[in-house]
Amino acid sequence: MHNITKNKLEKLIKVSDSNQIISALAIDQRGSLSKMLGSNKNEEDTSKSLREFKGIISKVLTPYSSSILLDPEYGLDASKVRHTDSGLLLAYEKTGYDSSEVGRLPDLISDFSVKRLKENGADAIKFLIYYDVDENKKINDIKQAFIERIGSECLAEELPFFLEILTYDSKINNEKGIEYAKIKPRKVNEAMKVFSHPRYNVDVLKVEVPVNMNFVEGFNSQNDFVFTKEEAMNFFKEQDESTDLPYIYLSAGVTIELFIDTLKLAKESGANFNGVLCGRATWKDAVSEYSENGLQVAEKWLSEKGIENIIKLNEAIKKYATSWSSKIDVIK
């Protein structure tokens, strides 16, 4: 059972649906999205495109999501056009990491604090950390102390702290390949155990599913499989047992169809996940429409296919996710 203050609880309710399940839309991408939108633009045009694209995502899709995750650098205008019933999560990390340094160390957006994010309307704070449980202890100590600081800030401001964990192996360059797929379950589940400790004051974990579904038997005929369906289900069950915190899944850019199949498998495995924070699976194809055909065409695509995607996803969440209410105890 996770202890939470009354004020944090009210904000957690704000970013969830009426069943206390999180069906959130993610559009906090910065570096990766600017590349998707066209890397040949100058800084001013890129900034304009990012703001404009995030704005149409927020306007068109938030009537169908419990909340939206945005970044304060390019997403504050978009936060103002979201649906009134949709909560707001704001990202606190700088995008990406310095690849010239060892350890994928985290960094904060330098001109923001949790207090300032709260002043800009945040109902919750999201921070992304890259984590390898087998990394050098000195590096992981730095990361753990970093998360402790953010957790303390969120506690002081009484905003829910969503921690997004992206796992890796310092000796493997490709997290999408078969070599990493073989060790991913342990990496994901052990990282969840680390940050479920009360010292970090994390309220919700945003996590990868414990297996690369492209290497699970029966889910992608293009690849050799690493795990049978039964083995994959065991990893989902182990993941559920690795934390007493509410946890939600990220889509990691897979297709909406594969993501929904994944949620179904998680449910069949006995995983009591509490929703999703889904980005590209919902809106990815709108990027090319925007880049090639302009704002109005992209908005039309979102109004048709984007809404269709998110409604499909919401139906799956309703079927397969569970309320976080049984994991929460309010501090008097």
Side-chain angles (χ1 to χ4, degrees), residues 76-325:
L76 291 181
D77 289 344
S79 74
K80 294 177 175 65
V81 297
R82 75 186 193 278
H83 191 272
T84 52
D85 292 335
S86 186
L88 177 63
L89 297 99
L90 285 178
Y92 194 15
E93 79 280 350
K94 276 188 182 173
T95 187
Y97 57 86
D98 185 349
S99 57
S100 67
E101 296 284 333
V102 174
R104 305 192 188 188
L105 294 173
D107 202 359
L108 298 171
I109 302 172
S110 53
D111 55 346
F112 276 90
S113 61
V114 171
K115 183 182 284 292
R116 290 183 180 200
L117 294 172
K118 185 179 182 180
E119 288 169 349
N120 277 279
D123 296 305
I125 302 301
K126 190 275 297 189
F127 188 84
L128 182 156
I129 191 160
Y130 293 91
Y131 200 78
D132 175 7
V133 290
D134 303 307
E135 181 68 271
N136 178 290
K137 184 179 184 298
K138 184 176 179 182
I139 287 171
N140 281 348
D141 279 344
I142 291 169
K143 292 180 179 180
Q144 289 168 20
F146 209 98
I147 300 307
E148 287 165 11
R149 293 187 198 105
I150 298 169
S152 294
E153 265 196 276
C154 291
L155 194 63
E157 296 299 332
E158 294 198 275
L159 288 185
F161 178 19
F162 284 57
L163 178 64
E164 178 176 2
I165 307 169
L166 290 185
T167 60
Y168 68 100
D169 185 282
S170 60
K171 299 178 180 65
I172 298 173
N173 292 326
N174 179 18
E175 282 87 51
K176 303 288 186 186
I178 192 167
E179 191 180 355
Y180 187 72
K182 293 173 182 176
I183 60 173
K184 182 177 181 178
R186 193 183 75 83
K187 296 283 189 181
V188 172
N189 294 348
E190 290 301 314
M192 285 177 68
K193 288 180 187 175
V194 170
F195 291 107
S196 295
H197 194 284
R199 70 183 294 118
Y200 299 105
N201 291 302
V202 173
D203 298 297
V204 178
L205 289 170
K206 179 189 176 189
V207 294
E208 303 162 286
V209 297
V211 289
N212 184 333
M213 295 296 291
N214 288 314
F215 296 102
V216 175
E217 185 181 21
F219 285 86
N220 191 337
S221 59
Q222 303 296 314
N223 290 322
D224 294 332
F225 69 87
V226 171
F227 300 117
T228 64
K229 181 181 176 183
E230 185 180 0
E231 287 170 329
M233 289 175 75
N234 286 334
F235 290 129
F236 276 102
K237 186 61 179 167
E238 287 173 15
Q239 180 178 47
D240 189 70
E241 293 166 353
S242 71
T243 186
D244 60 354
L245 294 176
Y247 68 97
I248 59 178
Y249 288 130
L250 57 93
S251 63
V254 302
T255 64
I256 195 79
E257 292 78 16
L258 180 57
F259 192 47
I260 288 171
D261 287 344
T262 305
L263 300 182
K264 182 181 180 184
L265 185 64
K267 176 69 171 180
E268 289 173 2
S269 308
N272 295 303
F273 70 98
N274 308 112
V276 303
L277 227 173
C278 178
R280 287 168 290 170
T282 306
W283 49 256
K284 183 180 178 182
D285 290 344
V287 176
S288 57
E289 295 289 356
Y290 177 87
S291 298
E292 295 166 18
N293 304 308
L295 179 67
Q296 288 184 330
V297 174
E299 189 167 342
K300 184 175 186 295
W301 185 94
L302 287 167
S303 299
E304 295 168 359
K305 189 62 179 173
I307 288 173
E308 181 187 317
N309 285 344
I310 205 166
I311 287 173
K312 262 195 243 175
L313 182 59
N314 285 342
E315 288 169 354
I317 294 165
K318 190 175 179 181
K319 269 196 235 175
Y320 307 131
T322 59
S323 168
W324 47 253
S325 57

Side-chain angles (χ1 to χ4, degrees), residues 9 18 24 41 52 71 96 103 237 282 310 326 332:
L9 176 64
S18 57
K41 295 180 178 181
E52 196 169 67
D71 58 283
K237 186 61 179 167
T282 306
I310 205 166
S326 62
K332 303 299 180 189

